[in-house]
Amino acid sequence: MRPAVDQVALATLRTVPELPEVESVRRQLAPELTGRRVVEVWWDPHPHARISGLEQAAGQVIRSVGRRGKFLLCPLDGPGFAGGIGASGARDAGLELVLHLGMTGALRLVDATEPTGAHERVGFDLDDGRRLAFNDPRRFGRASVVVAGRYLPDIPTLAVLGPEPLSPDFDPERFAAQLARTRAPVKARLLDQRLVAGVGNIYADESLWRARIHPASRRVGRSRALALHAAVRDVLAAAVEREGTTFRDYQLVNGASGRYLSELDVYGRGGLECRRCTATLRRIVLAQRGTTYCPSCQRI
DNA sequence: CCTGGTGCCTGGGTGC
DNA sequence: TGCACCCAGGCACCAG
């Protein structure tokens, strides 16, 4: 057993998990889950639960814990796995566990004897006597087992997910060209996951503020697009560095909070002073999302 | 294809 | 103290 981690909330997020929060959860889970065998799986029978294929996880070994955008990706190895070279000589198409925390999802490692939590939607009993519990009050999260890399039809967003913002795949010129091609508000483009993966409401507002771009802008020229590209990278990198944003009781394994909250410049600061120009930050609704920006230094 | 609008879901907050 | 709203928002889905 691992008493230092048992019973600890790995991610009781009040903040909606975006890339930095999911990456922080991934880093906590990876050493705990890698090499563990899933003994048994239980899941929520609710008709609207976004769950598929989980019966296939039983007996599988978790090979690693990865991430793409806001998705956690765990490649699985079957009981007889011996290197992945099948009779045909081609690499076997193994299975993959895909988790998305949605708005309120949280993952915990608990003792397997602990009763199912009130909002527990999925439980993976592991071969070390613990259970990976997926707690998700609003059922906006997702849990699926698919053939590795085959994300259609179950997970269409993952199938068309844009580049990882903190990798070289996120190319500034390509980003600028794609942004120039359509006329939706720039914030909507940041949120839709195809231009760049992992940006949600908080870090969209933060990035736009940093790049001095009005969230409702429908035309973003090359130089501003390049500034936005850099801002997205800088904001996400800084938030990962601080293990995400905690509003309430999101806790790390050691009990610490995500420390990006004090770094937020606009999100949650409507009516307060802009830290750059002292104008009053304004809160509007854009793309059906609460949006905060500085009317003085973010111009259309 | 592109875009905007609606529904899903429920804990927590507000106003009466 | 109780009750009826109403909001938060990632994503699926649909209509124009």
Side-chain angles (χ1 to χ4, degrees):
Chain A
M1 301 299 285
R2 293 175 174 80
V5 175
D6 280 351
Q7 316 294 324
V8 172
L10 285 176
T12 310
L13 287 166
R14 288 297 182 267
T15 305
V16 173
E18 303 181 30
L19 185 151
E21 291 74 28
V22 177
E23 176 60 18
S24 299
V25 170
R26 188 199 70 75
R27 291 178 182 183
Q28 294 165 352
L29 288 178
E32 305 298 328
L33 296 183
T34 300
R36 295 268 65 81
R37 185 179 299 277
V38 176
V39 175
E40 200 174 337
V41 189
W42 168 90
W43 62 89
D44 180 15
H46 191 283
H48 287 110
R50 293 167 186 175
I51 286 169
S52 62
L54 291 191
E55 67 282 352
Q56 300 173 92
Q60 298 278 321
V61 173
I62 299 169
R63 197 194 308 160
S64 60
V65 182
R67 181 190 57 73
R68 273 284 281 132
K70 306 173 196 174
F71 291 88
L72 286 170
L73 305 177
C74 303
L76 304 173
D77 288 336
F81 187 78
I85 306 299
S88 66
R91 183 162 182 88
D92 287 335
L95 298 174
E96 187 176 21
L97 170 64
V98 180
L99 299 172
H100 192 296
L101 301 178
M103 271 189 74
T104 56
L107 291 164
R108 298 164 181 261
L109 275 169
V110 300
D111 192 283
T113 60
E114 187 161 310
T116 303
H119 303 295
E120 188 175 326
R121 309 305 182 195
V122 186
F124 301 90
D125 288 336
L126 305 175
D127 62 357
D128 63 355
R130 294 187 296 176
R131 182 170 85 244
L132 175 65
F134 186 11
N135 197 283
D136 184 20
R138 295 182 206 176
R139 292 194 177 89
F140 279 16
R142 161 170 288 287
S144 293
V145 172
V146 300
V147 172
R150 187 180 296 171
Y151 302 130
L152 291 176
D154 285 349
I155 319 164
T157 304
L158 183 52
V160 298
L161 198 61
E164 275 300 304
L166 300 180
S167 87
D169 296 339
F170 186 37
D171 180 73
E173 295 295 345
R174 184 157 171 264
F175 178 73
Q178 288 177 319
L179 213 45
R181 212 162 55 207
T182 59
R183 291 288 169 265
V186 60
K187 178 171 177 179
R189 300 306 315 282
L190 281 180
L191 293 176
D192 97 353
Q193 306 300 304
R194 287 176 294 185
L195 214 52
V196 57
V199 177
N201 206 34
I202 296 175
Y203 300 109
D205 280 6
E206 294 298 313
S207 300
L208 289 163
W209 180 85
R210 191 171 296 212
R212 302 175 187 247
I213 296 170
H214 193 294
S217 293
R218 289 173 184 271
R219 291 172 185 272
V220 176
R222 178 173 173 276
S223 70
R224 291 203 305 162
L226 297 181
L228 182 57
H229 175 277
V232 166
R233 289 183 58 104
D234 290 348
V235 165
L236 292 177
V240 167
E241 174 93 11
R242 289 163 182 75
E243 299 172 292
T245 301
T246 295
F247 281 144
R248 290 196 185 175
D249 53 355
Y250 162 57
Q251 288 190 336
L252 301 166
V253 176
N254 62 4
S257 293
R259 304 180 305 283
Y260 197 71
L261 180 65
S262 60
E263 309 291 321
L264 295 178
D265 288 307
V266 280
Y267 188 87
R269 297 192 67 241
L272 301 177
E273 272 192 6
C274 173
R275 290 185 170 142
R276 199 160 46 204
C277 75
T278 75
T280 302
L281 297 178
R282 181 175 298 165
R283 189 175 189 282
I284 61 173
V285 174
L286 179 66
Q288 290 74 242
R289 299 289 171 263
T291 299
T292 309
Y293 71 103
C294 174
S296 172
C297 52
Q298 289 171 266
R299 301 293 179 87
I300 293 205

mmCIF file of all heavy atoms in Angstrom, chain A residues 243-279:
data_model
loop_
_atom_site.group_PDB
_atom_site.id
_atom_site.type_symbol
_atom_site.label_atom_id
_atom_site.label_comp_id
_atom_site.label_asym_id
_atom_site.label_seq_id
_atom_site.Cartn_x
_atom_site.Cartn_y
_atom_site.Cartn_z
ATOM 1 N N GLU A 243 0.978 24.397 -11.290
ATOM 2 C CA GLU A 243 0.058 23.274 -11.087
ATOM 3 C C GLU A 243 -1.403 23.687 -11.145
ATOM 4 O O GLU A 243 -2.235 23.174 -10.394
ATOM 5 C CB GLU A 243 0.390 22.552 -9.778
ATOM 6 C CG GLU A 243 1.800 21.976 -9.796
ATOM 7 C CD GLU A 243 2.233 21.431 -8.452
ATOM 8 O OE1 GLU A 243 2.406 22.249 -7.529
ATOM 9 O OE2 GLU A 243 2.382 20.212 -8.322
ATOM 10 N N GLY A 244 -1.707 24.632 -12.020
ATOM 11 C CA GLY A 244 -3.086 24.998 -12.297
ATOM 12 C C GLY A 244 -3.642 26.067 -11.373
ATOM 13 O O GLY A 244 -2.935 26.653 -10.566
ATOM 14 N N THR A 245 -4.939 26.322 -11.554
ATOM 15 C CA THR A 245 -5.638 27.354 -10.800
ATOM 16 C C THR A 245 -6.605 26.717 -9.822
ATOM 17 O O THR A 245 -7.439 25.903 -10.215
ATOM 18 C CB THR A 245 -6.433 28.258 -11.763
ATOM 19 O OG1 THR A 245 -5.538 28.858 -12.697
ATOM 20 C CG2 THR A 245 -7.181 29.342 -11.008
ATOM 21 N N THR A 246 -6.512 27.054 -8.564
ATOM 22 C CA THR A 246 -7.439 26.546 -7.559
ATOM 23 C C THR A 246 -8.317 27.678 -7.050
ATOM 24 O O THR A 246 -7.811 28.713 -6.615
ATOM 25 C CB THR A 246 -6.670 25.954 -6.357
ATOM 26 O OG1 THR A 246 -5.938 24.822 -6.784
ATOM 27 C CG2 THR A 246 -7.641 25.547 -5.260
ATOM 28 N N PHE A 247 -9.631 27.490 -7.123
ATOM 29 C CA PHE A 247 -10.523 28.453 -6.501
ATOM 30 C C PHE A 247 -10.929 27.997 -5.108
ATOM 31 O O PHE A 247 -11.120 28.789 -4.213
ATOM 32 C CB PHE A 247 -11.778 28.669 -7.348
ATOM 33 C CG PHE A 247 -11.542 29.575 -8.511
ATOM 34 C CD1 PHE A 247 -12.178 29.346 -9.709
ATOM 35 C CD2 PHE A 247 -10.684 30.644 -8.412
ATOM 36 C CE1 PHE A 247 -11.964 30.185 -10.797
ATOM 37 C CE2 PHE A 247 -10.454 31.489 -9.487
ATOM 38 C CZ PHE A 247 -11.106 31.253 -10.685
ATOM 39 N N ARG A 248 -11.100 26.710 -4.932
ATOM 40 C CA ARG A 248 -11.503 26.226 -3.616
ATOM 41 C C ARG A 248 -10.595 25.122 -3.106
ATOM 42 O O ARG A 248 -9.571 25.375 -2.522
ATOM 43 C CB ARG A 248 -12.945 25.736 -3.655
ATOM 44 C CG ARG A 248 -13.902 26.918 -3.819
ATOM 45 C CD ARG A 248 -15.300 26.513 -3.479
ATOM 46 N NE ARG A 248 -16.222 27.614 -3.751
ATOM 47 C CZ ARG A 248 -17.513 27.493 -3.632
ATOM 48 N NH1 ARG A 248 -18.043 26.349 -3.261
ATOM 49 N NH2 ARG A 248 -18.290 28.518 -3.878
ATOM 50 N N ASP A 249 -10.979 23.877 -3.380
ATOM 51 C CA ASP A 249 -10.286 22.821 -2.653
ATOM 52 C C ASP A 249 -9.570 21.823 -3.546
ATOM 53 O O ASP A 249 -9.387 20.690 -3.170
ATOM 54 C CB ASP A 249 -11.261 22.098 -1.725
ATOM 55 C CG ASP A 249 -12.477 21.607 -2.463
ATOM 56 O OD1 ASP A 249 -12.592 21.908 -3.664
ATOM 57 O OD2 ASP A 249 -13.309 20.931 -1.855
ATOM 58 N N TYR A 250 -9.199 22.246 -4.720
ATOM 59 C CA TYR A 250 -8.330 21.402 -5.542
ATOM 60 C C TYR A 250 -7.016 21.227 -4.799
ATOM 61 O O TYR A 250 -6.375 22.195 -4.411
ATOM 62 C CB TYR A 250 -8.099 22.073 -6.898
ATOM 63 C CG TYR A 250 -6.916 21.580 -7.692
ATOM 64 C CD1 TYR A 250 -6.787 20.246 -8.037
ATOM 65 C CD2 TYR A 250 -5.932 22.468 -8.099
ATOM 66 C CE1 TYR A 250 -5.703 19.814 -8.780
ATOM 67 C CE2 TYR A 250 -4.857 22.056 -8.846
ATOM 68 C CZ TYR A 250 -4.744 20.725 -9.180
ATOM 69 O OH TYR A 250 -3.672 20.312 -9.909
ATOM 70 N N GLN A 251 -6.638 19.981 -4.571
ATOM 71 C CA GLN A 251 -5.421 19.726 -3.811
ATOM 72 C C GLN A 251 -4.510 18.771 -4.548
ATOM 73 O O GLN A 251 -4.951 17.847 -5.201
ATOM 74 C CB GLN A 251 -5.750 19.106 -2.445
ATOM 75 C CG GLN A 251 -6.380 20.092 -1.488
ATOM 76 C CD GLN A 251 -6.479 19.530 -0.090
ATOM 77 O OE1 GLN A 251 -6.500 18.314 0.086
ATOM 78 N NE2 GLN A 251 -6.526 20.417 0.885
ATOM 79 N N LEU A 252 -3.252 18.994 -4.394
ATOM 80 C CA LEU A 252 -2.263 18.075 -4.929
ATOM 81 C C LEU A 252 -2.061 16.946 -3.928
ATOM 82 O O LEU A 252 -2.602 16.958 -2.831
ATOM 83 C CB LEU A 252 -0.953 18.836 -5.186
ATOM 84 C CG LEU A 252 -1.157 19.980 -6.175
ATOM 85 C CD1 LEU A 252 0.030 20.921 -6.168
ATOM 86 C CD2 LEU A 252 -1.385 19.427 -7.572
ATOM 87 N N VAL A 253 -1.268 15.968 -4.319
ATOM 88 C CA VAL A 253 -1.042 14.812 -3.458
ATOM 89 C C VAL A 253 -0.496 15.238 -2.098
ATOM 90 O O VAL A 253 -0.849 14.694 -1.063
ATOM 91 C CB VAL A 253 -0.078 13.823 -4.130
ATOM 92 C CG1 VAL A 253 0.244 12.657 -3.212
ATOM 93 C CG2 VAL A 253 -0.712 13.291 -5.412
ATOM 94 N N ASN A 254 0.334 16.249 -2.101
ATOM 95 C CA ASN A 254 0.953 16.697 -0.844
ATOM 96 C C ASN A 254 0.085 17.718 -0.100
ATOM 97 O O ASN A 254 0.523 18.324 0.867
ATOM 98 C CB ASN A 254 2.337 17.284 -1.107
ATOM 99 C CG ASN A 254 2.262 18.502 -2.009
ATOM 100 O OD1 ASN A 254 1.179 18.950 -2.376
ATOM 101 N ND2 ASN A 254 3.415 19.045 -2.369
ATOM 102 N N GLY A 255 -1.140 17.929 -0.580
ATOM 103 C CA GLY A 255 -2.047 18.845 0.102
ATOM 104 C C GLY A 255 -1.964 20.285 -0.369
ATOM 105 O O GLY A 255 -2.728 21.128 0.070
ATOM 106 N N ALA A 256 -1.037 20.564 -1.265
ATOM 107 C CA ALA A 256 -0.890 21.935 -1.744
ATOM 108 C C ALA A 256 -1.972 22.271 -2.774
ATOM 109 O O ALA A 256 -2.596 21.381 -3.345
ATOM 110 C CB ALA A 256 0.485 22.128 -2.367
ATOM 111 N N SER A 257 -2.171 23.580 -3.002
ATOM 112 C CA SER A 257 -3.130 24.039 -4.007
ATOM 113 C C SER A 257 -2.406 24.377 -5.296
ATOM 114 O O SER A 257 -1.214 24.674 -5.285
ATOM 115 C CB SER A 257 -3.842 25.289 -3.507
ATOM 116 O OG SER A 257 -4.652 24.983 -2.397
ATOM 117 N N GLY A 258 -3.172 24.348 -6.414
ATOM 118 C CA GLY A 258 -2.659 24.935 -7.644
ATOM 119 C C GLY A 258 -2.420 26.411 -7.357
ATOM 120 O O GLY A 258 -3.233 27.057 -6.711
ATOM 121 N N ARG A 259 -1.329 26.939 -7.839
ATOM 122 C CA ARG A 259 -0.912 28.267 -7.387
ATOM 123 C C ARG A 259 -1.036 29.339 -8.457
ATOM 124 O O ARG A 259 -0.402 30.377 -8.349
ATOM 125 C CB ARG A 259 0.539 28.186 -6.889
ATOM 126 C CG ARG A 259 0.736 27.141 -5.791
ATOM 127 C CD ARG A 259 2.181 27.069 -5.318
ATOM 128 N NE ARG A 259 3.126 26.838 -6.411
ATOM 129 C CZ ARG A 259 3.335 25.653 -6.999
ATOM 130 N NH1 ARG A 259 2.671 24.602 -6.600
ATOM 131 N NH2 ARG A 259 4.208 25.538 -7.977
ATOM 132 N N TYR A 260 -1.856 29.104 -9.487
ATOM 133 C CA TYR A 260 -1.953 30.115 -10.537
ATOM 134 C C TYR A 260 -3.020 31.175 -10.244
ATOM 135 O O TYR A 260 -3.065 32.203 -10.903
ATOM 136 C CB TYR A 260 -2.208 29.470 -11.905
ATOM 137 C CG TYR A 260 -1.923 30.401 -13.065
ATOM 138 C CD1 TYR A 260 -0.612 30.748 -13.391
ATOM 139 C CD2 TYR A 260 -2.941 30.965 -13.811
ATOM 140 C CE1 TYR A 260 -0.340 31.620 -14.426
ATOM 141 C CE2 TYR A 260 -2.682 31.836 -14.860
ATOM 142 C CZ TYR A 260 -1.377 32.159 -15.158
ATOM 143 O OH TYR A 260 -1.098 33.021 -16.182
ATOM 144 N N LEU A 261 -3.859 30.925 -9.246
ATOM 145 C CA LEU A 261 -4.963 31.858 -8.952
ATOM 146 C C LEU A 261 -4.472 33.299 -8.816
ATOM 147 O O LEU A 261 -5.050 34.221 -9.383
ATOM 148 C CB LEU A 261 -5.683 31.433 -7.670
ATOM 149 C CG LEU A 261 -6.854 32.321 -7.252
ATOM 150 C CD1 LEU A 261 -7.983 32.251 -8.276
ATOM 151 C CD2 LEU A 261 -7.383 31.926 -5.880
ATOM 152 N N SER A 262 -3.404 33.495 -8.090
ATOM 153 C CA SER A 262 -2.915 34.862 -7.846
ATOM 154 C C SER A 262 -2.297 35.477 -9.092
ATOM 155 O O SER A 262 -2.018 36.672 -9.124
ATOM 156 C CB SER A 262 -1.885 34.851 -6.714
ATOM 157 O OG SER A 262 -0.794 34.018 -7.060
ATOM 158 N N GLU A 263 -2.082 34.649 -10.126
ATOM 159 C CA GLU A 263 -1.497 35.158 -11.363
ATOM 160 C C GLU A 263 -2.572 35.604 -12.357
ATOM 161 O O GLU A 263 -2.255 36.209 -13.377
ATOM 162 C CB GLU A 263 -0.644 34.078 -12.038
ATOM 163 C CG GLU A 263 0.378 33.412 -11.137
ATOM 164 C CD GLU A 263 1.508 34.355 -10.749
ATOM 165 O OE1 GLU A 263 1.936 35.134 -11.608
ATOM 166 O OE2 GLU A 263 1.930 34.307 -9.575
ATOM 167 N N LEU A 264 -3.829 35.276 -12.082
ATOM 168 C CA LEU A 264 -4.887 35.614 -13.036
ATOM 169 C C LEU A 264 -5.008 37.121 -13.173
ATOM 170 O O LEU A 264 -5.076 37.842 -12.184
ATOM 171 C CB LEU A 264 -6.228 35.024 -12.585
ATOM 172 C CG LEU A 264 -6.340 33.503 -12.554
ATOM 173 C CD1 LEU A 264 -7.708 33.091 -12.043
ATOM 174 C CD2 LEU A 264 -6.074 32.914 -13.933
ATOM 175 N N ASP A 265 -5.055 37.597 -14.422
ATOM 176 C CA ASP A 265 -5.152 39.028 -14.671
ATOM 177 C C ASP A 265 -6.585 39.478 -14.950
ATOM 178 O O ASP A 265 -6.935 40.619 -14.665
ATOM 179 C CB ASP A 265 -4.247 39.392 -15.854
ATOM 180 C CG ASP A 265 -2.767 39.321 -15.479
ATOM 181 O OD1 ASP A 265 -2.382 39.947 -14.474
ATOM 182 O OD2 ASP A 265 -2.019 38.627 -16.174
ATOM 183 N N VAL A 266 -7.413 38.598 -15.554
ATOM 184 C CA VAL A 266 -8.781 39.014 -15.875
ATOM 185 C C VAL A 266 -9.865 38.049 -15.369
ATOM 186 O O VAL A 266 -10.884 38.490 -14.848
ATOM 187 C CB VAL A 266 -8.973 39.222 -17.399
ATOM 188 C CG1 VAL A 266 -8.421 40.569 -17.823
ATOM 189 C CG2 VAL A 266 -8.359 38.106 -18.218
ATOM 190 N N TYR A 267 -9.643 36.763 -15.515
ATOM 191 C CA TYR A 267 -10.694 35.799 -15.144
ATOM 192 C C TYR A 267 -11.090 35.982 -13.681
ATOM 193 O O TYR A 267 -10.245 36.017 -12.788
ATOM 194 C CB TYR A 267 -10.223 34.368 -15.381
ATOM 195 C CG TYR A 267 -11.328 33.363 -15.187
ATOM 196 C CD1 TYR A 267 -12.186 33.033 -16.225
ATOM 197 C CD2 TYR A 267 -11.537 32.776 -13.947
ATOM 198 C CE1 TYR A 267 -13.213 32.130 -16.044
ATOM 199 C CE2 TYR A 267 -12.564 31.873 -13.752
ATOM 200 C CZ TYR A 267 -13.395 31.555 -14.806
ATOM 201 O OH TYR A 267 -14.417 30.663 -14.606
ATOM 202 N N GLY A 268 -12.398 36.166 -13.472
ATOM 203 C CA GLY A 268 -12.888 36.349 -12.113
ATOM 204 C C GLY A 268 -12.631 37.730 -11.539
ATOM 205 O O GLY A 268 -12.871 37.971 -10.367
ATOM 206 N N ARG A 269 -12.145 38.672 -12.384
ATOM 207 C CA ARG A 269 -11.782 40.000 -11.871
ATOM 208 C C ARG A 269 -12.640 41.106 -12.474
ATOM 209 O O ARG A 269 -12.263 42.289 -12.418
ATOM 210 C CB ARG A 269 -10.298 40.284 -12.130
ATOM 211 C CG ARG A 269 -9.347 39.317 -11.400
ATOM 212 C CD ARG A 269 -7.895 39.801 -11.431
ATOM 213 N NE ARG A 269 -7.730 41.010 -10.648
ATOM 214 C CZ ARG A 269 -7.329 42.181 -11.116
ATOM 215 N NH1 ARG A 269 -7.058 42.316 -12.398
ATOM 216 N NH2 ARG A 269 -7.209 43.215 -10.335
ATOM 217 N N GLY A 270 -13.808 40.749 -13.032
ATOM 218 C CA GLY A 270 -14.694 41.770 -13.581
ATOM 219 C C GLY A 270 -15.002 42.836 -12.536
ATOM 220 O O GLY A 270 -15.252 42.516 -11.378
ATOM 221 N N GLY A 271 -14.968 44.114 -12.949
ATOM 222 C CA GLY A 271 -15.237 45.215 -12.032
ATOM 223 C C GLY A 271 -14.001 45.706 -11.303
ATOM 224 O O GLY A 271 -14.021 46.770 -10.689
ATOM 225 N N LEU A 272 -12.938 44.938 -11.368
ATOM 226 C CA LEU A 272 -11.678 45.355 -10.729
ATOM 227 C C LEU A 272 -10.792 46.084 -11.747
ATOM 228 O O LEU A 272 -11.094 46.140 -12.927
ATOM 229 C CB LEU A 272 -10.938 44.135 -10.159
ATOM 230 C CG LEU A 272 -11.708 43.317 -9.115
ATOM 231 C CD1 LEU A 272 -10.895 42.112 -8.687
ATOM 232 C CD2 LEU A 272 -12.090 44.172 -7.918
ATOM 233 N N GLU A 273 -9.710 46.622 -11.249
ATOM 234 C CA GLU A 273 -8.804 47.384 -12.104
ATOM 235 C C GLU A 273 -7.944 46.479 -12.973
ATOM 236 O O GLU A 273 -7.450 45.458 -12.512
ATOM 237 C CB GLU A 273 -7.844 48.216 -11.229
ATOM 238 C CG GLU A 273 -8.379 49.583 -10.865
ATOM 239 C CD GLU A 273 -7.284 50.470 -10.263
ATOM 240 O OE1 GLU A 273 -6.110 50.045 -10.239
ATOM 241 O OE2 GLU A 273 -7.624 51.579 -9.834
ATOM 242 N N CYS A 274 -7.771 46.906 -14.225
ATOM 243 C CA CYS A 274 -6.814 46.250 -15.105
ATOM 244 C C CYS A 274 -5.409 46.470 -14.541
ATOM 245 O O CYS A 274 -5.054 47.588 -14.203
ATOM 246 C CB CYS A 274 -6.907 46.833 -16.519
ATOM 247 S SG CYS A 274 -5.629 46.221 -17.642
ATOM 248 N N ARG A 275 -4.644 45.403 -14.460
ATOM 249 C CA ARG A 275 -3.299 45.517 -13.873
ATOM 250 C C ARG A 275 -2.316 46.216 -14.805
ATOM 251 O O ARG A 275 -1.209 46.540 -14.402
ATOM 252 C CB ARG A 275 -2.770 44.125 -13.521
ATOM 253 C CG ARG A 275 -3.521 43.514 -12.363
ATOM 254 C CD ARG A 275 -2.932 42.187 -11.930
ATOM 255 N NE ARG A 275 -3.555 41.776 -10.677
ATOM 256 C CZ ARG A 275 -3.873 40.523 -10.384
ATOM 257 N NH1 ARG A 275 -3.637 39.562 -11.253
ATOM 258 N NH2 ARG A 275 -4.444 40.229 -9.228
ATOM 259 N N ARG A 276 -2.768 46.437 -16.043
ATOM 260 C CA ARG A 276 -1.869 47.065 -17.004
ATOM 261 C C ARG A 276 -2.179 48.550 -17.153
ATOM 262 O O ARG A 276 -1.277 49.355 -17.261
ATOM 263 C CB ARG A 276 -2.007 46.361 -18.362
ATOM 264 C CG ARG A 276 -0.881 46.568 -19.331
ATOM 265 C CD ARG A 276 -0.872 45.486 -20.404
ATOM 266 N NE ARG A 276 -2.204 45.241 -20.942
ATOM 267 C CZ ARG A 276 -2.588 44.109 -21.524
ATOM 268 N NH1 ARG A 276 -1.739 43.109 -21.658
ATOM 269 N NH2 ARG A 276 -3.823 43.964 -21.965
ATOM 270 N N CYS A 277 -3.483 48.908 -17.141
ATOM 271 C CA CYS A 277 -3.816 50.304 -17.438
ATOM 272 C C CYS A 277 -4.752 50.934 -16.410
ATOM 273 O O CYS A 277 -5.115 52.083 -16.559
ATOM 274 C CB CYS A 277 -4.443 50.406 -18.825
ATOM 275 S SG CYS A 277 -6.143 49.813 -18.894
ATOM 276 N N THR A 278 -5.183 50.173 -15.423
ATOM 277 C CA THR A 278 -6.052 50.625 -14.329
ATOM 278 C C THR A 278 -7.508 50.901 -14.749
ATOM 279 O O THR A 278 -8.306 51.330 -13.939
ATOM 280 C CB THR A 278 -5.519 51.872 -13.588
ATOM 281 O OG1 THR A 278 -5.732 53.038 -14.399
ATOM 282 C CG2 THR A 278 -4.056 51.711 -13.231
ATOM 283 N N ALA A 279 -7.853 50.663 -16.026
ATOM 284 C CA ALA A 279 -9.263 50.765 -16.418
ATOM 285 C C ALA A 279 -10.044 49.661 -15.700
ATOM 286 O O ALA A 279 -9.454 48.711 -15.184
ATOM 287 C CB ALA A 279 -9.403 50.625 -17.927
#
